[in-house]
Each structure stands twice: as C-alpha cells, then as structure tokens.
Amino acid sequence: MLKKLLYSRPITAALHLFCRLFYPKRYLTGRYFTEKRAGYLWAIRSIPRRIATGIPWPIGKTTVINNKNRITFHPDSLPVFQSPGCYFQNIDGEIRLGRNVHIAPNVGLITTNHNLYDLNKHDPGKDITIGDDCWIGMNSVILPGVTLGPHTIVGAGAVVTKSFPEGHCVIGGVPAVVLRRLDPPSA
C-alpha cells in the first residue's frame, strides 16, 4: 500500500516540485526519477551538500568533485555520484560519463597529475571518457587521458593508465590489461 502511494502521480509530482527548488530540471530526469524513484531520495538527502558546494545534481556525503563545470553525464548514470568515497579530480580536464555507467565505492577519476620535477605544479589535464554501460570496480583508479569504450568492465583495484576505446572487454591489474573479450550484443 505504501509503495503504491509513493509511486502515485500526486506524490511524484510533489516530490519533483520540491526538488526543483534546489536542482535544475535536467538533473531530475532519467530512469532513477521515472521508474525507480530513488533519485528523489538522493536529491532530498543531498540538499545540504547542494547548498554547501553548489554542485547542481544530487551527490553522496563522501563524494568529492573538484570542478562541477567539467563533468558531463547521462541522467541514467546519476548513481555514480551516490557511491561512497568516489573522487572526481577534474581540475584541468573533462570527465564524460555515458549512459548506464556504474562506479563502485572508492574509485578515483584523475585528469591531472603532479609535475614530476616540481610537485607544487600540475601537468596539463587530459580528458577521461567512460562509454555507455561501463562498470568500474571498487578501489580502481582511472588516470589522465583514458577512454573506455562501451561495455568495459574494470576489475576491482585496477589502475587504468591507457585507453581501451573498443570496449566490450574486462580489464584489470596494475597497470590494467585486457583479461577477457566480451561479445558485443547482436542487433
């Protein structure tokens, strides 16, 4: 009965109007708002962080985002910002996340490294692109300039130092290498 009430149109409409007080409309779309409704819970829970940081989409308590203006993502990938301990270091580089990306806890996406000869400086940033339907395992690190093609699975603890643009593979290790090829879905 309660679940039916929560999924009713009037309740959903009221939640949406309330959340619009804090978030732009484009961040209150996608399946986590239309099908599963978890997005509204994330949005309400994230209001204090929204006020404190100015990040215009719902994020978890322990998610770190260096530059909100250098991240683009599909609304169906909103859960990546709810995963505890994730670090999006994009001071001088873009992070692009495709549709249906999953990121486990304690993952780092790093677009800029320290200069090897002067640690007080950073090297120029390089963009990171994660394709559709990718899964990044717990404690993994994605380093500057990496592109992961669609349906790339990154094993837990991997350090991804180079791109795998063809996708459809499982990668892992330090540095990450292809562990297994996956057949693309047939059309």
Side-chain angles (χ1 to χ4, degrees):
M1 179 72 172
L2 180 61
K3 187 174 182 180
K4 188 175 182 179
L5 178 65
L6 289 174
Y7 283 85
S8 70
R9 282 183 180 223
I11 297 295
T12 299
L15 285 171
H16 189 79
L17 282 174
F18 176 73
C19 291
R20 286 278 290 124
L21 295 171
F22 300 95
Y23 302 101
K25 186 177 181 178
R26 71 179 178 270
Y27 297 122
L28 302 175
T29 61
R31 71 178 188 200
Y32 290 94
F33 289 93
T34 59
E35 296 171 23
K36 301 186 178 203
R37 309 296 199 277
Y40 291 112
L41 173 64
W42 299 332
I44 291 167
R45 207 172 40 199
S46 299
I47 289 170
R49 297 266 340 254
R50 167 72 170 123
I51 294 167
T53 66
I55 294 172
W57 62 86
I59 62 170
K61 284 191 280 187
T62 59
T63 300
V64 175
I65 297 173
N66 288 133
N67 188 338
K68 66 184 182 226
N69 300 317
R70 291 182 168 267
I71 294 181
T72 56
F73 62 94
H74 189 280
D76 286 349
S77 293
L78 187 64
V80 303
F81 302 108
Q82 315 312 312
S83 196
C86 287
Y87 179 57
F88 296 86
Q89 188 269 44
N90 56 339
I91 297 165
D92 188 26
E94 301 283 331
I95 294 176
R96 294 180 208 88
L97 305 174
R99 183 179 194 158
N100 198 34
V101 171
H102 298 271
I103 296 180
N106 302 319
V107 168
L109 282 78
I110 300 168
T111 63
T112 307
N113 276 324
H114 288 275
N115 182 284
L116 294 177
Y117 300 101
D118 185 352
L119 298 179
N120 294 317
K121 295 180 181 177
H122 284 91
D123 288 336
K126 296 178 184 173
D127 298 347
I128 293 175
T129 302
I130 311 293
D132 294 346
D133 300 309
C134 288
W135 171 24
I136 314 299
M138 187 172 192
N139 297 320
S140 296
V141 179
I142 311 295
L143 292 176
V146 166
T147 295
L148 299 179
H151 207 89
T152 299
I153 313 301
V154 179
V159 177
V160 185
T161 60
K162 67 178 187 171
S163 294
F164 296 88
E166 69 285 350
H168 300 283
C169 59
V170 177
I171 62 174
V174 180
V177 296
V178 174
L179 302 175
R180 179 177 168 196
R181 298 273 177 207
L182 301 172
D183 293 329
S186 55

